[in-house]
Amino acid sequence: MTTTRNKWLVVLLIVTACTESVYSQKVLTLKECNDAAMNASALAGEISAYSEISAIKETNIAKGWLPTLDLNGSVLYNSEVVDLSSTLGNLPFPGISEMIKPLPHDQYKVTLDINQVIYDGGTMKSAKKLEKADLNVNEKQTASDLYKLHTQVNGYYFNILLLKRQKDLLLLYLGLIEKRLVSVQSAVNNGVMLSSDADVLRSELLNLRQQLSDNEIKINSLTAVLSDLTGIEIDSTTQFVLPAGEKALSNEINRPELQLLDTRIDQLAAGESLASSRRMPKAFGFATLGYGNPPGSNFFKDKFDTYYIIGAGLKWNIFDWNKVKNEKQVISLQKNMIDNRKKDLTDNIRRQLEVKESEITSLEKMTVTDSELLKLRKKISASAESQHENGIITATEYLNILNNERQAAINSEIHIINLAFARAEYLNISGQESE
């Protein structure tokens, strides 16, 4: 009874360990890597920084509607002032010469000047639009720079995937050779086969182990780079998922570089609107609160006192020597340049998509023939194994046939992964989301 219970306990522990091992494996997709790389990049923080900068600038623009307050002070000394005593003092009025004194040579004043915009001709509204356009340009520029990471991530991801598949095949054939060596060594011990046959198999085992070692070094190197690029912890147990290839490939182009050019055109349009607003009339009100000697314009009052001035004004630049017109002409030329650049970029992307589409079609055909070829190679290898056991062919001839099968299997895996890689590149070139 105790023995049976111990057996069940051992089975339970094994099942639990296997289950934990399966669930502990990390599964990683191409889309997860691309998203993580963009979030991990130092450039990712620029978008929020640009938003904060734009909000501050818009706040400052809005404050243009608030009154401005300027505190001014001055001390003046005039060498010549109005003196009416010499002229009016000759009038036939008793004591008039004593009543009329010359204006003081020195003047003192402290003022608080207040200016309020009443109508700005749409300048601040246009400035806000330009600031919004600047924000869009900066965000799209950052998005365009981050998008370039997709090419790097795709390259590392599919190279790792290919190396892992090659590793699986190498391990598979290593097991086959080891199994075959046991059989051959038994035959050699019984004098049925020559020891050279066993040596050939041992040599192949060394070659396979060497390839596995090199494969492992490359995998570790690439996973370290991908881990650093994405910020994801990747180890030897991480499983890389081959994209399913079910997403329909569209010729629609949605690259961030094209969106960036569109926002630059919007930016130029906003700048054109701001330039036009400079020619519009502007109305403003003003007030001055002062304390001085003489107070305000009362030059005949020779003592310190308070005073105030209020008023309104209108300013209209009716002729600016064609400055705004020239600015608009420059903006128009810049728009044409951006349109030409956008057309050139679009044409270049379409050509890349055509080349990639041809590559995808070619790889799809290869995967079909690979399947048929691999079936034939497996049959030939099975026949060769039987012939080797019966001494019809040597171990070298058997290995040549087995290596042909292995190469066919590797080629099949290469074509399958390259097909997925080509599809990922097609999506990346067109600006669509990866699978």
Side-chain angles (χ1 to χ4, degrees), residues 287-291 296 306-310:
T288 299
L289 304 177
Y291 179 76
T306 59
Y307 65 95
Y308 68 90
I309 301 170
I310 59 173

Side-chain angles (χ1 to χ4, degrees), residues 151-181:
T151 302
Q152 296 182 51
V153 171
N154 289 353
Y156 291 125
Y157 186 91
F158 283 101
N159 276 317
I160 293 171
L161 197 57
L162 183 59
L163 286 169
K164 281 181 171 289
R165 290 294 178 89
Q166 288 178 342
K167 178 182 178 181
D168 293 340
L169 289 173
L170 287 171
L171 289 172
L172 174 64
Y173 284 97
L174 181 71
L176 290 176
I177 298 299
E178 286 177 340
K179 182 180 178 182
R180 186 69 195 138
L181 179 59

Side-chain angles (χ1 to χ4, degrees), residues 245 247-250 352-368 415-430 435:
K247 187 173 184 178
L249 299 179
S250 169
Q352 291 181 48
L353 290 178
E354 288 176 4
V355 172
K356 195 56 63 177
E357 190 173 5
S358 299
E359 181 182 347
I360 291 170
T361 302
S362 175
L363 286 168
E364 285 175 341
K365 291 179 180 179
M366 285 184 181
T367 54
V368 174
H415 293 155
I416 290 171
I417 294 173
N418 282 344
L419 175 59
F421 191 8
R423 288 179 59 87
E425 285 184 319
Y426 185 98
L427 294 173
N428 185 41
I429 292 169
S430 62
E435 295 175 302

Side-chain angles (χ1 to χ4, degrees), residues 27-164:
V27 178
L28 203 56
T29 65
L30 178 61
K31 188 176 186 307
E32 288 173 344
C33 286
N34 278 319
D35 292 344
M38 294 182 73
N39 291 329
S41 173
L43 296 177
E46 287 187 1
I47 295 178
S48 60
Y50 281 131
S51 296
E52 291 180 18
I53 292 171
S54 180
I56 293 171
K57 287 184 176 181
E58 281 196 20
T59 300
N60 280 342
I61 292 171
K63 287 179 180 179
W65 287 108
L66 299 177
T68 60
L69 304 175
D70 295 309
L71 183 64
N72 298 301
S74 65
V75 177
L76 300 176
Y77 180 83
N78 297 306
S79 61
E80 296 288 337
V81 294
V82 177
D83 186 0
L84 299 178
S85 60
S86 59
T87 303
L88 299 179
N90 296 326
L91 294 176
F93 297 102
I96 192 170
S97 58
E98 289 79 8
M99 295 174 59
I100 301 175
K101 297 179 180 179
L103 298 179
H105 287 264
D106 52 339
Q107 297 177 11
Y108 310 88
K109 65 176 179 179
V110 177
T111 62
L112 178 64
D113 297 324
I114 305 171
N115 288 278
Q116 173 65 57
V117 175
I118 299 173
Y119 175 70
D120 71 340
T123 300
M124 280 182 272
K125 182 180 179 181
S126 298
K128 282 186 177 182
K129 287 184 178 178
L130 180 58
E131 179 52 41
K132 184 66 176 176
D134 289 343
L135 173 62
N136 290 337
V137 167
N138 290 329
E139 288 179 340
K140 292 300 181 184
Q141 180 64 65
T142 302
S144 178
D145 294 337
L146 285 171
Y147 194 78
K148 296 174 184 177
L149 290 171
H150 286 197
T151 302
Q152 296 182 51
V153 171
N154 289 353
Y156 291 125
Y157 186 91
F158 283 101
N159 276 317
I160 293 171
L161 197 57
L162 183 59
L163 286 169
K164 281 181 171 289

Side-chain angles (χ1 to χ4, degrees), residues 12 24 37 53 56 72 74 106 117 157 182 187 257 263 307 316 321 331 344 360 380 392 397 428:
L12 181 61
S24 64
I53 292 171
I56 293 171
N72 298 301
S74 65
D106 52 339
V117 175
Y157 186 91
V182 171
E257 295 92 334
T263 56
Y307 65 95
W316 192 355
W321 306 98
I331 290 173
D344 181 69
I360 291 170
I380 294 171
I392 299 174
E397 291 172 322
N428 185 41

Side-chain angles (χ1 to χ4, degrees), residues 111-373:
T111 62
L112 178 64
D113 297 324
I114 305 171
N115 288 278
Q116 173 65 57
V117 175
I118 299 173
Y119 175 70
D120 71 340
T123 300
M124 280 182 272
K125 182 180 179 181
S126 298
K128 282 186 177 182
K129 287 184 178 178
L130 180 58
E131 179 52 41
K132 184 66 176 176
D134 289 343
L135 173 62
N136 290 337
V137 167
N138 290 329
E139 288 179 340
K140 292 300 181 184
Q141 180 64 65
T142 302
S144 178
D145 294 337
L146 285 171
Y147 194 78
K148 296 174 184 177
L149 290 171
H150 286 197
T151 302
Q152 296 182 51
V153 171
N154 289 353
Y156 291 125
Y157 186 91
F158 283 101
N159 276 317
I160 293 171
L161 197 57
L162 183 59
L163 286 169
K164 281 181 171 289
R165 290 294 178 89
Q166 288 178 342
K167 178 182 178 181
D168 293 340
L169 289 173
L170 287 171
L171 289 172
L172 174 64
Y173 284 97
L174 181 71
L176 290 176
I177 298 299
E178 286 177 340
K179 182 180 178 182
R180 186 69 195 138
L181 179 59
V182 171
S183 176
V184 170
Q185 187 61 52
S186 176
V188 170
N189 293 339
N190 294 327
V192 179
M193 285 189 179
L194 298 174
S195 61
S196 59
D197 281 4
D199 291 338
V200 169
L201 293 178
R202 289 192 186 93
S203 173
E204 183 64 16
L205 281 177
L206 288 173
N207 181 45
L208 286 173
R209 291 191 179 105
Q210 189 179 51
Q211 291 181 46
L212 279 168
S213 176
D214 181 63
N215 178 280
E216 192 68 27
I217 292 171
K218 289 178 180 178
I219 289 176
N220 291 336
S221 174
L222 292 178
T223 52
V225 175
L226 185 62
S227 180
D228 181 64
L229 194 61
T230 60
I232 299 173
E233 291 186 9
I234 303 174
D235 53 36
S236 58
T237 64
T238 303
Q239 293 184 355
F240 289 74
V241 178
L242 184 70
E246 297 175 351
K247 187 173 184 178
L249 299 179
S250 169
N251 58 3
E252 180 183 354
I253 299 175
N254 192 32
R255 283 284 288 271
E257 295 92 334
L258 295 175
Q259 297 173 19
L260 173 61
L261 294 176
D262 288 336
T263 56
R264 289 197 183 280
I265 292 176
D266 294 338
Q267 184 186 40
L268 290 173
E272 186 175 17
S273 176
L274 181 60
S276 298
S277 68
R278 297 197 191 104
R279 294 294 312 279
M280 299 297 291
K282 295 170 179 59
F284 56 92
F286 61 90
T288 299
L289 304 177
Y291 179 76
N293 180 17
S297 298
N298 188 359
F299 297 105
F300 294 100
K301 190 174 183 179
D302 187 11
K303 69 174 183 178
F304 283 91
D305 203 353
T306 59
Y307 65 95
Y308 68 90
I309 301 170
I310 59 173
L314 179 68
K315 185 179 180 180
W316 192 355
N317 184 6
I318 59 175
F319 187 68
D320 69 342
W321 306 98
N322 291 328
K323 286 176 63 179
V324 171
K325 181 181 178 181
N326 291 339
E327 284 183 29
K328 289 183 177 181
Q329 187 176 358
V330 170
I331 290 173
S332 177
L333 291 171
Q334 290 174 328
K335 283 182 178 179
N336 290 335
M337 291 170 62
I338 291 176
D339 286 336
N340 291 335
R341 185 177 290 272
K342 183 178 178 181
K343 182 180 182 303
D344 181 69
L345 179 58
T346 302
D347 292 341
N348 185 39
I349 291 173
R350 292 201 183 280
R351 285 191 289 268
Q352 291 181 48
L353 290 178
E354 288 176 4
V355 172
K356 195 56 63 177
E357 190 173 5
S358 299
E359 181 182 347
I360 291 170
T361 302
S362 175
L363 286 168
E364 285 175 341
K365 291 179 180 179
M366 285 184 181
T367 54
V368 174
T369 54
D370 281 339
S371 178
E372 298 174 359
L373 180 61

